[in-house]
Amino acid sequence: MPTLLIIHGTTRPSRSGILVSRALESLAKETTTFDVEFADLKDVNLPFLDELDHPRSGNYERPHTRAWAATVARADAIVWATPQYNDSFSAPLKNAIDYLAAEWEGKPLGIIAWGYSNGGLDAARALTPVAASLRMDLVEPLLGYTSYGADLKDGSLTVSEEWKRNATTLLKGLEERAA
């Protein structure tokens, strides 16, 4: 069974966006054959890039880098999930991406983002050249989520049918490319 790794890309203490990532995780478990793994960068807890060698060398000295590399390497498809900060993606996600090189190459990638302005799509679009540089196989649609809090009730998120349809299209595309 192929593995889908969803990487939640913010470590902010007050982060409701994790509910968007978790909604995608639930949908993936319901609608795909993926073994779904969830990596919350708050729990992964990578320091600011601290390896001596360039990631392309694959010479990882730090235990946290080796653990992160193993997590990404075992994935057959990946989703980067990010909030939109200043019209771009989060620094913790960029740091987690920059730790590695070969582990990303050739893997199908989905991008989901959220924000008050245009559903975070500026952040998603800002990640596309990063994915291209790493030779990842970008799967569309880029999935945005706009929230003004009305859909948050008691710590849970109610997503629209349109979001579910678009998310299902993304997941199915990842599944086809991971096969």
Side-chain angles (χ1 to χ4, degrees), residues 5-174:
L5 174 63
I6 299 171
I7 301 170
H8 181 73
T10 180
T11 59
R12 191 176 187 171
S14 60
R15 56 197 186 136
S16 58
I18 195 158
L19 298 174
V20 178
S21 295
R22 291 292 188 187
L24 186 72
E25 176 190 29
S26 293
L27 190 62
K29 288 178 178 178
E30 292 170 17
T31 63
T32 72
T33 60
F34 280 124
D35 179 21
V36 181
E37 185 174 348
F38 193 90
D40 182 346
L41 291 182
K42 187 175 183 179
D43 297 333
V44 174
N45 198 27
L46 293 169
F48 196 74
L49 185 57
D50 64 349
E51 285 290 338
L52 296 174
D53 289 338
H54 191 283
R56 291 231 179 260
S57 75
N59 183 26
Y60 305 134
E61 293 184 10
R62 310 278 193 241
H64 54 264
T65 309
R66 288 194 295 270
W68 181 234
T71 297
V72 174
R74 72 177 163 259
D76 298 295
I78 294 171
V79 171
W80 289 338
T82 186
Q84 181 164 298
Y85 295 148
N86 300 316
D87 295 330
S88 194
F89 51 91
S90 71
L93 180 59
K94 181 67 163 105
N95 186 52
I97 293 166
D98 287 349
Y99 258 92
L100 308 175
E103 293 80 2
W104 303 113
E105 193 168 327
K107 294 202 175 169
L109 172 69
I111 300 173
I112 67 169
W114 53 90
Y116 293 110
S117 158
N118 77 2
L121 287 176
D122 289 336
R125 288 184 198 108
L127 280 165
T128 60
V130 176
S133 175
L134 293 167
R135 298 178 195 92
M136 297 183 81
D137 180 13
L138 183 62
V139 177
E140 294 191 349
L142 300 177
L143 188 58
Y145 188 86
T146 302
S147 174
Y148 295 96
D151 47 359
L152 298 172
K153 302 280 189 241
D154 301 320
S156 64
L157 177 72
T158 303
V159 295
S160 70
E161 288 303 314
E162 178 184 9
W163 188 89
K164 282 183 189 176
R165 278 191 306 277
N166 290 334
T168 300
T169 299
L170 173 64
L171 291 167
K172 292 299 183 184
L174 288 165

